[in-house]
Amino acid sequence: MFVARRIPAAGLDRVIAECDADVWQDPMPPSREVILDKVRGCDGILSLLTDTMDAAVFDAAGPGLKVVSNMAVGYNNINTSDAFDRGIRIGNTPGVLTEATADMAVTLLLAAARCLREGIENVSARQWKNWEPLGFIGQDLGGKTIGIVGMGRIGLATAERLHRGWGMKVVYASRTAKPDAEHRVSAVRLSLDALLEQSDFVSVHTDLNESTLEMFDASAFKAMKSTAVFVNTSRGGIHVSEDLHDALVSGEIFAAGLDVTNPEPPSSDDPLLDLPNCVVAPHIGSATVSARNGMASIAAANLIAGVRGENLPHEVIPEN
Ligand code: GLV
């Protein structure tokens, strides 16, 4: 089998002990050509969110490929219908990264709301000369409204932090009603348009699919408050970078906190990276000890179960 990167020992040790594994050693992802070559004859692939898994990869592997185990909760890098057509099982790693990712959403929300990047850059540039009564003035959090787009596990964990910690009112937009969120944080379900209009903070937690691709475009940013903060810890493809840039420069919204970019990673001349009111982290929402160990361990268990023809502990089920 092919393991597309070195992953934490919590998962890798088991894969190496129980399988004949070819582990890609370079910290940079294998190229498309390398993947197509390495998967030949494999019964299992352990992939990361950076590795495109589609018909060409499955065909290169051949009919013996039984499972693609993705070390991520999101699996938009995998063409699931191409996989299911070939009887290939897909695994993902939900649950273990919920708290870490919600912590990152709140971190970015706070940093963006409180002009932290501007302040840190001022200090690093040795420009801190004075206590400024009119400088670095950000947004208050207490009693404001948080709009959660995609009220799944991570959306709810983020809402709970902001509701319990800052007394925020929670509104959400989701394909289906979420009684659990309505019960736990008194969340109110709204259309996306109403959510954008009413929210002081908007945090995105939906998966990337055809209906969420570039959902945050110029018209979405225009609909938001000029004091609003936009946070995206899910997938960069959900926002249009140029439109976000323009909204931040024109003052259509106040600030943004991103753990994901479009494209990802961004090009070195991406103008979004220059904006003082845009805090960008390198997709580290799940980068804590327990989250990454948990992900590695589930990914290994999914891979091993899949090559043995057993049900995966966390399997992506085809939608009918
Ligand atoms: C991280 O983004 C994941 O999907 O696990």
Side-chain angles (χ1 to χ4, degrees), residues 208-261:
L208 177 61
N209 58 47
E210 276 170 15
S211 66
T212 60
L213 179 70
E214 303 201 330
M215 175 186 228
F216 280 86
D217 58 7
S219 68
F221 294 122
K222 206 178 192 62
M224 289 167 64
K225 297 183 183 182
S226 59
T227 50
V229 173
F230 173 73
V231 177
N232 189 356
T233 52
S234 59
R235 287 291 182 269
I238 290 167
H239 66 253
V240 180
S241 274
E242 296 74 26
D243 294 356
L244 176 58
H245 173 270
D246 293 350
L248 288 166
V249 169
S250 67
E252 237 156 36
I253 65 172
F254 181 74
L258 308 176
D259 190 39
V260 288
T261 59

Side-chain angles (χ1 to χ4, degrees), residues 12 21-22 40 45 59 74 107 124 134 140 178 200 202 211 229 253-254 257 263 265 272 291 310:
L12 193 59
D22 178 3
R40 214 165 298 279
I45 302 172
D59 292 342
T107 301
S124 304
L134 296 175
D140 294 293
K178 303 290 177 177
D200 299 297
V202 174
S211 66
V229 173
I253 65 172
F254 181 74
L272 208 48
E310 296 164 5

Side-chain angles (χ1 to χ4, degrees), residues 13-139:
D13 287 354
R14 184 167 172 213
V15 171
I16 289 171
E18 298 189 32
C19 313
D20 178 15
D22 178 3
V23 181
W24 182 248
Q25 298 292 330
D26 199 297
M28 290 304 284
S31 67
R32 177 85 173 156
E33 292 66 36
V34 167
I35 291 178
L36 291 171
D37 179 48
K38 290 279 186 186
V39 299
R40 214 165 298 279
C42 282
D43 52 0
I45 302 172
L46 194 151
S47 54
L48 303 195
L49 55 85
T50 43
D51 310 318
T52 300
M53 294 284 131
D54 57 9
V57 174
F58 307 146
D59 292 342
L65 181 62
K66 295 188 185 134
V67 60
V68 176
S69 170
N70 212 38
M71 197 185 109
V73 63
Y75 47 85
N76 58 291
N77 57 308
I78 302 176
N79 187 319
T80 51
S81 57
D82 284 350
F84 297 144
D85 285 350
R86 290 164 176 75
I88 299 164
R89 293 177 133 153
I90 308 291
N92 71 337
T93 65
V96 287
L97 45 63
T98 300
E99 307 303 324
T101 309
D103 288 347
M104 181 54 62
V106 174
T107 301
L108 289 170
L109 185 151
L110 280 165
R114 296 303 304 272
C115 309
L116 197 61
R117 173 172 175 177
E118 218 181 325
I120 288 173
E121 285 181 354
N122 173 277
V123 177
S124 304
R126 309 297 191 270
Q127 294 298 316
W128 181 16
K129 306 281 187 232
N130 196 6
W131 183 85
E132 295 195 29
L134 296 175
F136 310 107
I137 295 184
Q139 302 296 332

Side-chain angles (χ1 to χ4, degrees), residues 299-316:
N302 283 339
L303 182 72
I304 290 164
V307 296
R308 289 182 181 157
E310 296 164 5
N311 288 338
L312 314 192
H314 291 281
E315 183 156 357
V316 176

